Amino acid sequence: MPRPAPQLLIASRCAQTMLSQRRALAHAAMRQGFKVVAVGEDTDNGCSARKLEREGIAFHAIPVRQGSLNPIALALLILQFIKVFRKIKPDIFHAFTVKPVIAGMIAAKICGIDVRVATIPGLGHGFLSKSKIISRTIVLLYKVSLSVCDHIFFYNRHDWIVFSELNIVNTKKTSIVNGSGVNTEYFKSSKIIKNTEIFKFLFIGRLIKEKGINDLIQAAAIIRNNNRLISIDIVGEIDKNNPSTLTEKEIFLAKSMNIVHFKGQTDDVRPFIEAANAIVLPSYREGIPLVLLEGAAMGRPLVATNVPGCSDVVRPGETGYLVPAGDPEALAAAMMQMAENPSLARSMGDAARQDAIARFSDEAVSSVVLERYSELLARHSAFDA
């Protein structure tokens, strides 16, 4: 009698992030014989969930993003995970981001899931909070949940060092991968449109302070005052669950400058990247920012902040520019410098494409993770024997 296919349950923030950031891993696992199930919040009325189902990835919706990590909210989320585990009975549980890791790992331990893996894509809003109570609570919860993990992946060395120095993880159970990777065939190199005198930058991301959106708007004002032929397209959503989200008033004021254009949310960023000359991301901290990988894969130069995650992607002077975080003047200067040198920008874009292929392809990243799965399953089987 043939052995049943091993089951992999992936927990992410929501179905949309599962599609955009975990899909490559899911499909790579399916090619190796895994049955893949996804868990997260349904934030778009089942649209993303249905897409996952069509691709053979079962999706179970639970309220990951709602509420906070207070004891009651945490207990309710743990119970939600327990219900899923008892129904699915996965061989491997792999959680991404704060709440799935904290609540999911505790539930997985309670349910006796064989292999438990966590990925820390970035430190997150709460971890970096100015409130000592919030940050210390999250550190404590991470210590508890990650202590029951078989392995923990980090997207950059900076975050690994932070967790190591705070004794949150056993470093023998950790490793670093180059983000979630990028499909360099799906995000193909695209020629920059040359029939315009305006140099167009593109920002993609949640409209929150931590992504540097306020700094970008201030930089836009500086650029306008210098009468430069630059425009800035912004693709992303207002994150109503985040206290630092951009307000409607701030959006209105940004629009009034006539160089900032809000494009809303999209399921396909490729047309926006294709229409842009360069990507800009003035974030305060990242894991490995997917937008930079997607832009680089399509041959676009990058302007980003010299912070963990962004500095792991951008090669200063080769694939783009790095500027200090929280410095709109430096950001504006870098954007104007790139716009004034379109031929250099194109050569940086070509170099970015090659770098994306060499270091950040989703196939390379997925193979590292799948190899770890195999090792952990084999170790568990040997232990049971």
Side-chain angles (χ1 to χ4, degrees):
M1 184 174 179
R3 294 180 61 183
Q7 291 205 83
L8 166 64
L9 193 152
I10 300 176
S12 194
R13 186 168 64 93
C14 60
Q16 288 170 294
T17 58
M18 180 67 199
L19 270 174
S20 64
Q21 301 178 35
R22 324 292 174 217
R23 174 195 255 157
L25 173 61
H27 281 282
M30 290 163 67
R31 288 193 294 272
Q32 287 203 5
F34 282 90
K35 180 179 179 182
V36 179
V37 179
V39 171
E41 187 144 350
D42 176 13
T43 57
D44 58 0
N45 297 315
C47 180
S48 297
R50 287 189 291 272
K51 289 180 181 178
L52 290 170
E53 297 278 358
R54 286 196 293 269
E55 295 181 13
I57 303 167
F59 180 77
H60 291 261
I62 61 174
V64 172
R65 300 199 329 170
Q66 293 178 2
S68 64
L69 286 175
N70 65 54
I72 295 176
L74 181 60
L76 291 174
L77 187 54
I78 290 172
L79 288 174
Q80 291 280 349
F81 271 107
I82 288 174
K83 288 173 64 176
V84 172
F85 289 143
R86 287 179 174 169
K87 182 177 181 179
I88 304 300
K89 297 181 176 62
D91 300 281
I92 300 177
F93 172 57
H94 192 162
F96 293 77
T97 71
V98 181
K99 290 181 183 178
V101 168
I102 290 174
M105 286 303 156
I106 294 172
K109 176 65 175 178
I110 292 172
C111 294
I113 304 304
D114 291 347
V115 175
R116 301 177 290 272
V117 179
T119 291
I120 310 298
L123 296 187
H125 175 78
F127 198 101
L128 299 172
S129 173
K130 293 180 180 179
S131 168
K132 290 185 178 180
I133 294 176
I134 294 175
S135 59
R136 287 175 179 174
T137 298
I138 290 180
V139 167
L140 176 61
L141 290 171
Y142 262 140
K143 283 185 177 181
V144 172
S145 59
L146 295 180
S147 68
V148 303
C149 280
D150 295 288
H151 196 80
I152 304 109
F153 291 105
F154 289 87
Y155 278 1
N156 64 65
R157 183 169 177 79
H158 307 83
D159 293 348
W160 179 86
I161 290 172
V162 170
F163 273 59
S164 300
E165 290 180 345
L166 291 174
N167 294 315
I168 297 175
V169 294
N170 177 352
T171 56
K172 294 180 180 179
K173 295 183 177 181
T174 64
S175 59
I176 299 170
V177 293
N178 284 328
S180 54
V182 62
N183 186 331
T184 55
E185 289 300 314
Y186 184 76
F187 290 92
K188 294 182 178 180
S189 183
S190 168
K191 289 185 178 181
I192 294 173
I193 299 172
K194 297 181 181 180
N195 60 351
T196 176
E197 294 180 353
I198 296 178
F199 194 98
K200 184 181 290 186
F201 284 92
L202 174 65
F203 169 95
I204 303 174
R206 288 180 293 157
L207 308 186
I208 58 175
K209 178 182 178 181
E210 289 79 9
K211 293 291 183 181
I213 187 66
N214 300 90
D215 298 328
L216 180 59
I217 291 171
Q218 291 180 49
I222 295 170
I223 292 169
R224 182 195 61 179
N225 292 337
N226 280 272
N227 298 313
R228 303 304 173 91
L229 295 175
I230 291 174
S231 70
I232 303 168
D233 283 352
I234 294 178
V235 173
E237 61 180 336
I238 295 177
D239 188 347
K240 295 179 180 178
N241 293 312
N242 194 305
S244 67
T245 192
L246 206 62
T247 66
E248 294 289 350
K249 181 180 179 181
E250 288 169 327
I251 291 176
F252 175 80
L253 292 174
K255 287 180 177 178
S256 68
M257 290 189 289
N258 295 322
I259 71 169
V260 177
H261 308 284
F262 290 86
K263 301 296 185 178
Q265 184 70 349
T266 181
D267 292 330
D268 188 357
V269 298
R270 292 175 299 170
F272 294 95
I273 297 175
E274 188 171 7
N277 297 87
I279 305 298
V280 58
L281 183 66
S283 180
Y284 288 10
R285 194 179 188 99
E286 294 283 335
I288 290 289
L290 186 61
V291 58
L292 294 185
L293 300 186
E294 292 170 346
M298 291 188 68
R300 296 300 182 267
L302 314 169
V303 176
T305 38
N306 191 15
V307 299
C310 294
S311 61
D312 291 270
V313 177
V314 181
R315 295 183 184 275
E318 297 180 24
T319 64
Y321 298 129
L322 290 175
V323 300
D327 190 338
E329 290 82 7
L331 178 62
M335 292 170 71
M336 288 187 287
Q337 181 180 354
M338 182 170 284
E340 289 169 0
N341 297 275
S343 60
L344 176 61
R346 285 193 291 272
S347 66
M348 284 181 168
D350 292 339
R353 165 72 180 175
Q354 296 306 313
D355 199 42
I357 294 171
R359 295 199 293 151
F360 297 105
S361 73
D362 55 10
E363 291 181 358
V365 172
S366 296
S367 67
V368 171
V369 176
L370 288 171
E371 184 177 352
R372 185 66 60 182
Y373 287 170
S374 297
E375 292 173 0
L376 294 173
L377 281 174
R379 188 184 307 167
H380 180 80
S381 298
F383 180 80
D384 284 348

